[in-house]
Amino acid sequence: AVRSGVFAYLAEQYEETHSRAERGLASAEERLSAQLDARLRKHTNRKGEVHVEWYQSRVGVIERHERRFQRHIVQVAEKNRAHDQAFEEVLTTTAQYDRLFA
């Protein structure tokens, strides 16, 4: 009789503890699910914010640098062409003097 009473008491305590734990888990799951949804909404908006604030402005800076670099390349090519022409003129002048004084 004592043994069955102890087991009945243990079974009753288990049921109470188990039902309390289930209720706590359900409320914690609901609360954590709401927090997760809020965080996901926040970061989804942040993704668009980062795209607008950082990426688009950075793209403008990069395009500006690229245009500046292209202008630089054109200027270097023009200077190189001018140097080549000046060198050719010097060569023709020295060739003329060589023929004149030779």
Side-chain angles (χ1 to χ4, degrees), residues 67-82:
R67 286 191 303 269
R68 188 180 306 157
F69 179 69
Q70 292 299 327
R71 285 193 307 266
H72 172 71
I73 294 295
V74 168
Q75 289 173 351
V76 167
E78 289 173 354
K79 283 182 182 180
N80 190 29
R81 191 174 333 113

Side-chain angles (χ1 to χ4, degrees), residues 1 13-14 26 29 37 44-47 56 61-62 86-87 102:
Q13 289 300 315
Y14 171 79
E29 180 182 4
D37 287 342
T44 300
N45 291 339
R46 194 163 167 239
K47 176 182 165 189
Q56 288 179 351
V61 169
I62 290 171
F87 184 69

Side-chain angles (χ1 to χ4, degrees), residues 83-95:
H83 286 236
D84 286 345
Q85 288 174 354
F87 184 69
E88 287 297 325
E89 290 173 7
V90 168
L91 283 180
T92 56
T93 305
T94 51

